Amino acid sequence: MNKQRMRQVMLGLEADGLCTTMDAYREYFASARLDRSEPVEIDEHAQAVSARELAEAVDHPLHDHAENLETLRNADFGPKSVVEEGAVVRIGGRNLVVAVPTVTFVCDGEEFMGISARAPIFEAMQGKRAGESFCFNGRNMVVEFIA
């Protein structure tokens, strides 16, 4: 398992998310502008207010993507022997990457999903070694593998 390639895949996912969100932000922001050289109709004003509110709602995800990119750039993806940030952990046959939350992605033919170090499941398994168990949502789980 090449964790540096995995980091690159995750950086690509975040960069794509940032671009998509930025495009949506620009689109909503552009539609929120009114042409002040002409009289403004009431429905145009209402649409502009709505578009401005949507643009403000997109602002938070923009910051999330930027923060996730920074986290990935600075994360230590070196070998791990305990569950910590930068670790790849297998539980229940599923591979989790402790760094930032992501959609499920494939790297080197295996499926992974990124989770945040603030995720409740990370808090439950933090510091565990391969073979150790932990309880999460009332279920006993075993750390099958750590890299």
Side-chain angles (χ1 to χ4, degrees):
M1 163 182 324
N2 185 326
K3 291 175 69 178
Q4 295 309 315
R5 189 166 30 249
M6 187 177 307
R7 178 201 313 250
Q8 292 306 314
V9 170
M10 294 175 79
L11 281 166
L13 290 170
E14 279 303 320
D16 289 348
L18 179 62
C19 286
T20 300
T21 305
M22 184 63 86
D23 288 346
Y25 183 81
R26 285 184 187 122
E27 181 179 322
Y28 289 131
F29 187 71
S31 65
R33 290 186 181 154
L34 293 173
D35 183 358
R36 300 287 183 197
S37 65
E38 297 178 7
V40 177
E41 307 238 350
I42 292 175
D43 62 331
E44 288 177 317
H45 179 71
Q47 288 174 352
V49 169
S50 177
R52 186 172 49 248
E53 289 170 354
L54 287 171
E56 289 170 2
V58 173
D59 189 52
H60 187 71
L62 280 174
H63 293 287
D64 288 345
H65 286 300
E67 182 180 311
N68 288 348
L69 283 167
E70 187 68 20
T71 298
L72 285 168
R73 287 184 188 115
N74 294 320
D76 174 9
F77 273 77
K80 308 293 181 201
S81 58
V82 297
V83 178
E84 61 183 302
E85 288 188 67
V88 174
V89 182
R90 184 174 298 131
I91 56 171
R94 295 178 189 222
N95 297 313
L96 304 175
V97 182
V98 182
V100 299
T102 68
V103 296
T104 302
F105 64 93
V106 175
C107 183
D108 294 339
E110 288 191 71
E111 201 169 87
F112 299 89
M113 184 173 77
I115 63 168
S116 167
R118 295 184 299 257
I121 193 165
F122 172 72
E123 292 175 11
M125 66 180 165
Q126 184 176 15
K128 301 293 183 192
R129 295 183 178 280
E132 292 184 336
S133 63
F134 64 96
C135 186
F136 180 68
N137 283 345
R139 293 179 47 204
N140 284 325
M141 305 183 99
V142 175
V143 176
E144 300 163 12
F145 172 82
I146 300 174

